[in-house]
């Protein structure tokens, strides 16, 4: 547990952090959020003593951080920042090995740990270990940064706008992966962001700050439904119902058992026409989504071969660990009333419909997880 | 892909190293062969006046090299730590003073330093070495400062945040990243030093300045050319040697 007790940081007569008290439970993700300059970074950096508080105490599992040697304290707290700060002259593997080396691990242990971590953050160790940071994309560099922060398996992770510099699509995926990793590792995470949607999606508790002081420290649901001040209300915005969708995973409302045919079979189109459901998904031999057929179009006498809509699953599908907010945004952008859901390699898992999203929004915590679409019987190969 | 780049780099490095070793060997073979030197000079200037300086190049060149190496070693031994110190927390306040100081060391004519030192210490290599040392400090210090200040602050922040101590950050992160710019400063300093070291002859320290000064005072162009050409070639050899050294020292990642 991390406890900040009346922590204050003053620069001249400016209060960067003003009498801040919060407690972060083990295994929780606490998100610090607020306008630029409100003291988020200063707060985070006081936890690993990159900044010393002017007054107040920071307790880590009951021990006053000020009594520990700063270097040793930091070696047991993962640290990931927006600018990543990978060492440009060292390979990805050497970067990840930084803290294990400081802790004197044996080489064999370091090597296997690096591979394990690269796999964890979704990078192929064989391909990435020996690359240099300049050969990585922004998203890849950020993944390596997270792997490096996790290297020595620290119980605490400090992250300062770690996904702030990557494009929205990649940020969405990184958030999904963060949640997946956090579900397994259960670190105590302090996460700084200025993005309300990111905070709502990732946080167990949100600390909303303003001018160095705490406005409200609550669960995302509480913050959305019961803002304590006008500032909090204005900051989280009026669209609380929409925001809440950011916390619901796609697979919690995903329908399975959709009609599916193999696109490479000669009678695919005919099989699709024979199907009772309106949309029939087309997959390849590996079950990867390649398109769909809208049977209403067929009814109007379109030649079968032209009725198939070919799509790239990267564009037209969502992931099971994505958020419903993202799914809704995608539906609106593409003009569809339902979207296919695919696994990492594009394999079709199911689909999510606009009406289910709407039900979730109205009904709060509606759980439709085990529903299957009964109108559509599965035909042909592929599917689940 | 990166493996191929590494391989190409290793090949280029081997070729450059072989090249510089060969050049040094050829240089000393010519310098050691006084008869060959004499015949070349006589071929250009004729025999009206003897164009060949009486002291053989094989004596003058090692004197010159010794003066360069001692003064440059001193410059590096003082310049690097000074450059490092003014970029540390403890020395940051002295950064501008030190910059101004080494700047002055360079604009102040070395011959004037020599004159002052000569009146204090008399004949010998010491006045020359001190003058050259001061003269060469500027590129070394400013190269070190520029190299260290170019290290991205977020990289240092990440290093500190992971629990690296100041010394470790300096040696494992900052110096390797600054190496390229630092070596460029050292290279400039040493090359300029090779040429400027000719002033050592003025205080009787010998070196390749001797035929040049004597040639000027006796109006014997042959002497001047003998000294000057040897100095120029020596400067090129030092330049090449440091460039090759840089290929071995600079981190692999700095290649494109
Ligand atoms: N080293 C410093 N010296 C003076 N003021 C600072 C320093 N660091 C931060 N501040 C001030 O403290 C306030 C909080 O900064 P910071 O914690 O970086 O904000 P945030 O991360 O929320 O954007 C800002 O007003 C900033 O200008
Ligand atoms: Mg900040």
């Amino acid at each position: 547990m991390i406890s900040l007790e009346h922590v204050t940081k003053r620069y001249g007569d400016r209060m960067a952090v003003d009498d801040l008290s919060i407690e972060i439970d083990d295994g929780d993700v606490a998100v610090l959020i607020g306008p630029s300059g409100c003291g988020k970074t200063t707060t985070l950096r006081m936890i690993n003593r990159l900044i010393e508080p002017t007054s107040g105490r920071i307790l880590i599992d009951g021990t006053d951080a000020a009594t520990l040697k700063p270097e040793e304290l930091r070696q047991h707290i993962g640290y990931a920042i927006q600018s990543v700060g990978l060492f440009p002259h060292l390979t990805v593997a050497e970067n990840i090995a930084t803290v294990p080396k400081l802790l004197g691990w044996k080489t064999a242990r370091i090597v296997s740990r690096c591979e394990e971590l690269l796999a964890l953050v979704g990078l192929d160790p064989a391909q990435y270990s020996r690359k240099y940071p300049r050969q990585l994309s922004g998203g890849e560099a950020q993944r390596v940064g997270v792997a490096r922060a996790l290297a020595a398996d620290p119980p605490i992770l400090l992250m300062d706008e770690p996904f702030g510099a990557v494009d929205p699509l990649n940020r969405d995926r990184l958030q999904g992966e963060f949640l997946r990793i956090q579900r397994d590792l259960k670190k105590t995470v302090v996460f700084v962001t200025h993005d309300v949607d990111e905070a709502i999606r990732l946080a167990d508790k949100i600390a909303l700050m303003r001018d160095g002081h705490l406005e409200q420290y609550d669960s995302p649901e509480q913050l959305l439904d019961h803002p304590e001040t006008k500032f909090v209300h204005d900051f989280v915005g009026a669209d609380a119902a929409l925001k809440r969708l950011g916390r619901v995973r796609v697979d919690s409302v995903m329908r399975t058992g959709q009609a599916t045919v193999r696109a490479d079979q000669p009678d695919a189109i005919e099989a699709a026409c024979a199907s009772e459901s309106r949309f029939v998904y087309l997959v390849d031999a590996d079950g990867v989504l390649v398109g769909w057929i809208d049977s209403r179009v067929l009814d109007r006498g379109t030649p079968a071969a032209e009725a198939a809509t070919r799509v790239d699953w990267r564009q037209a599908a969502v992931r099971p660990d994505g958020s419903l907010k993202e799914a809704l945004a995608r539906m609106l952008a593409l003009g569809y009333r339902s979207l296919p859901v695919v696994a990492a390699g594009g394999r079709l898992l199911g689909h999510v419909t606009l009406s289910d999203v709407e039900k979730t929004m109205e009904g709060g915590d509606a759980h439709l997880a085990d529903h299957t679409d009964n109108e559509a019987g599965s035909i042909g190969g592929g599917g689940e | 892909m990166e493996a191929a780049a590494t391989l190409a780099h290793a090949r280029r490095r081997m070729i450059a190293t072989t090249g510089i070793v060969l050049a040094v060997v050829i240089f000393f073979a010519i310098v050691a062969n006084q008869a060959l030197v004499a015949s070349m000079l006589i071929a250009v200037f004729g025999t009206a006046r003897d164009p060949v300086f009486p002291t053989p190049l094989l004596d003058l060149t090692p004197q010159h090299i010794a003066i360069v190496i001692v003064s440059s070693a001193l410059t590096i031994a003082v310049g690097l730590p000074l450059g490092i110190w003014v970029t540390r927390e403890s020395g940051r306040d002295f950064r501008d003073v030190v910059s101004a100081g080494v700047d002055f060391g360079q604009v102040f004519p070395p011959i004037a330093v020599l004159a002052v030192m000569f009146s204090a210490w008399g004949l010998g290599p010491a006045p020359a070495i001190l003058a050259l040392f001061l003269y060469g400090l500027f590129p070394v210090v400013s190269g070190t400062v520029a190299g260290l200040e170019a290290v991205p602050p977020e990289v240092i922040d990440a290093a500190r945040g992971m629990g690296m101590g100041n010394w470790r950050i300096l040696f494992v992160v900052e110096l390797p990243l600054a190496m390229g710019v630092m070596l460029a400063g050292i290279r400039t300093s040493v090359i300029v030093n090779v040429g400027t070291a000719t002033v050592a002859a003025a205080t009787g320290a010998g070196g390749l300045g001797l035929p040049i000064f004597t040639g000027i005072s006796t109006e014997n162009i042959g002497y001047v050319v003998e000294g000057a050409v040897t100095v120029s070639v020596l400067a090129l050899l030092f330049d090449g040697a440091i460039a090759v050294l840089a290929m071995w020292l600079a981190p692999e990642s700095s290649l494109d």
Side-chain angles (χ1 to χ4, degrees):
Chain A
M1 186 162 86
I2 305 172
S3 312
L4 281 72
E5 296 181 348
H6 305 288
V7 171
T8 295
K9 179 66 191 180
R10 191 168 35 224
Y11 290 110
D13 37 349
R14 191 184 164 82
M15 303 294 267
V17 175
D18 189 1
D19 193 26
L20 183 73
S21 296
I22 52 177
E23 290 200 339
I24 301 158
D25 289 331
D26 286 342
D28 266 7
V29 178
V31 172
L32 306 178
I33 193 170
S36 178
C38 71
K40 307 180 291 291
T41 296
T42 306
T43 304
L44 190 84
R45 289 164 68 88
M46 284 192 288
I47 296 173
N48 66 356
R49 293 186 62 194
L50 285 170
I51 296 175
E52 297 291 350
T54 310
S55 65
R57 292 201 308 169
I58 293 167
L59 303 178
I60 293 171
D61 292 331
T63 309
D64 189 342
T67 63
L68 302 169
K69 207 166 164 279
E71 278 79 27
E72 275 168 29
L73 174 73
R74 290 175 203 146
Q75 284 163 16
H76 295 96
I77 298 179
Y79 183 59
I81 52 179
Q82 177 180 350
S83 44
V84 196
L86 293 180
F87 303 137
H89 60 304
L90 300 181
T91 62
V92 164
E94 288 166 339
N95 265 283
I96 295 174
T98 306
V99 180
K101 270 192 195 147
L102 290 175
L103 296 173
W105 288 19
K106 296 238 163 53
T107 312
R109 184 174 172 207
I110 294 177
V111 169
S112 70
R113 180 66 179 156
C114 282
E115 290 182 0
E116 186 186 328
L117 282 164
L118 280 173
L120 181 73
V121 298
L123 298 175
D124 174 16
Q127 198 190 338
Y128 284 90
S129 292
R130 281 149 51 84
K131 276 190 195 281
Y132 283 97
R134 72 191 148 83
Q135 299 167 315
L136 304 175
S137 72
E140 289 166 349
Q142 203 51 260
R143 286 179 164 81
V144 174
V146 172
R148 186 173 69 169
L150 289 169
D153 204 16
I156 296 172
L157 201 53
L158 306 181
M159 308 179 88
D160 194 347
E161 307 205 22
F163 312 141
V166 294
D167 61 276
L169 205 66
N170 254 310
R171 187 183 318 149
D172 188 68
R173 291 192 44 195
L174 283 166
Q175 289 167 355
E177 286 170 23
F178 170 82
L179 286 173
R180 168 179 60 80
I181 292 170
Q182 171 62 8
R183 222 179 15 245
D184 292 343
L185 303 185
K186 300 226 185 319
K187 301 290 179 194
T188 308
V189 183
V190 187
F191 190 110
V192 166
T193 183
H194 60 258
D195 176 352
V196 181
D197 295 309
E198 183 167 80
I200 288 167
R201 182 167 179 200
L202 303 184
D204 293 303
K205 286 282 207 72
I206 295 178
L208 177 50
M209 296 177 66
R210 175 196 192 184
D211 293 336
H213 69 259
L214 189 65
E215 284 279 324
Q216 188 168 348
Y217 183 51
D218 254 325
S219 68
E221 289 80 5
Q222 281 293 317
L223 209 73
L224 287 169
D225 297 341
H226 306 287
E228 281 171 8
T229 64
K230 180 164 186 313
F231 179 80
V232 176
H233 177 265
D234 292 348
F235 194 87
V236 298
D239 52 348
L242 188 60
K243 289 255 160 52
R244 212 181 290 110
L245 283 183
R247 287 187 68 73
V248 186
R249 284 167 56 113
V250 164
D251 55 7
S252 70
V253 300
M254 181 174 80
R255 290 169 184 270
T256 55
Q258 68 285 354
T260 306
V261 292
R262 286 265 296 268
D264 57 349
Q265 287 172 347
D267 58 345
I269 302 292
E270 288 70 28
C273 296
S275 164
E276 291 157 32
S277 65
R278 180 177 163 190
F279 284 101
V280 178
Y281 289 106
L282 294 171
V283 296
D284 69 10
D286 298 322
V288 173
L289 177 74
V290 294
W292 57 72
I293 295 172
D294 182 347
S295 57
R296 293 239 183 107
V297 179
L298 294 178
D299 293 343
R300 278 187 246 119
T302 317
E306 287 169 29
T309 308
R310 294 270 163 176
V311 296
D312 179 355
W313 58 266
R314 289 171 196 82
Q315 309 294 327
V318 288
R319 299 285 202 84
D321 61 355
S323 74
L324 278 193
K325 184 159 192 290
E326 163 66 14
L328 179 62
R330 200 76 69 84
M331 285 180 201
L332 296 176
L334 298 169
Y336 298 149
R337 298 186 62 82
S338 76
L339 279 182
V341 181
V342 297
R347 197 170 52 85
L348 183 68
L349 298 176
H351 68 287
V352 48
T353 67
L354 183 60
S355 61
D356 287 341
V357 174
E358 283 167 348
K359 267 182 232 156
T360 309
M361 227 185 327
E362 289 154 12
D365 295 290
H367 285 293
L368 307 162
D370 296 326
H371 281 216
T372 47
D373 193 342
N374 293 324
E375 302 150 38
S378 182
I379 55 164
E384 288 281 292
Chain B
M1 187 187 123
E2 59 271 24
T6 308
L7 220 69
H9 177 69
R11 252 191 65 198
R12 247 180 299 142
R13 195 166 60 182
M14 278 321 296
I15 293 168
T17 310
T18 315
I20 195 72
V21 169
L22 270 178
V24 168
V25 169
I26 293 168
F27 174 74
F28 276 103
I30 294 172
V31 162
N33 192 339
Q34 189 67 14
L36 179 65
V37 174
S39 65
M40 287 196 294
L41 285 163
I42 288 166
V44 178
F45 297 101
T47 47
R49 295 183 65 174
D50 183 8
V52 189
F53 194 67
T55 314
L57 278 181
L58 193 59
D59 290 344
L60 296 172
T61 309
Q63 282 171 8
H64 198 90
I65 292 175
I67 293 167
V68 169
I69 287 183
V70 171
S71 56
S72 280
L74 214 58
T75 303
I76 294 166
V78 172
L80 283 190
L82 202 59
I84 291 170
W85 177 59
V86 299
T87 55
R88 301 303 97 185
E89 198 82 52
S90 58
R92 193 150 286 149
D93 295 344
F94 298 89
R95 186 187 176 283
D96 295 338
V97 180
V98 168
S99 292
V102 297
D103 209 0
F104 186 70
Q106 205 193 27
V107 295
F108 203 77
I111 198 87
V113 178
L114 206 62
V116 174
M117 289 300 130
F118 177 62
S119 59
W121 289 352
L123 285 175
I129 286 172
L130 189 82
L132 293 171
F133 154 71
L134 287 177
Y135 192 59
L137 266 182
F138 175 77
V140 173
V141 173
S142 57
T144 307
V145 171
L148 289 171
E149 286 184 344
V151 176
E154 70 269 18
V155 170
I156 297 175
D157 182 51
R160 179 156 296 126
M162 282 186 290
M164 289 171 108
N166 288 337
W167 286 105
R168 196 182 286 266
I169 293 174
L170 177 65
F171 283 104
V172 177
V173 180
E174 293 183 276
L175 287 178
L177 287 175
M179 188 66 77
V181 183
M182 283 166 57
L183 280 172
I186 290 174
R187 195 168 156 185
T188 308
S189 173
V190 173
I191 295 162
V192 171
N193 191 338
V194 174
T196 318
T198 49
V199 301
T203 61
L208 293 164
L210 206 55
I212 297 175
F213 279 100
T214 315
I216 292 168
S217 57
T218 62
E219 291 179 32
N220 188 333
I221 297 295
Y223 289 3
V224 177
V225 169
E226 183 182 344
V229 169
T230 314
V231 165
S232 318
V233 175
L234 197 59
L236 289 178
L237 290 178
F238 267 101
D239 188 23
I242 298 172
V244 167
L245 190 69
M247 292 178 94
W248 287 95
L249 289 183
E252 209 175 293
S253 61
S254 57
L255 17 144
D256 15 311

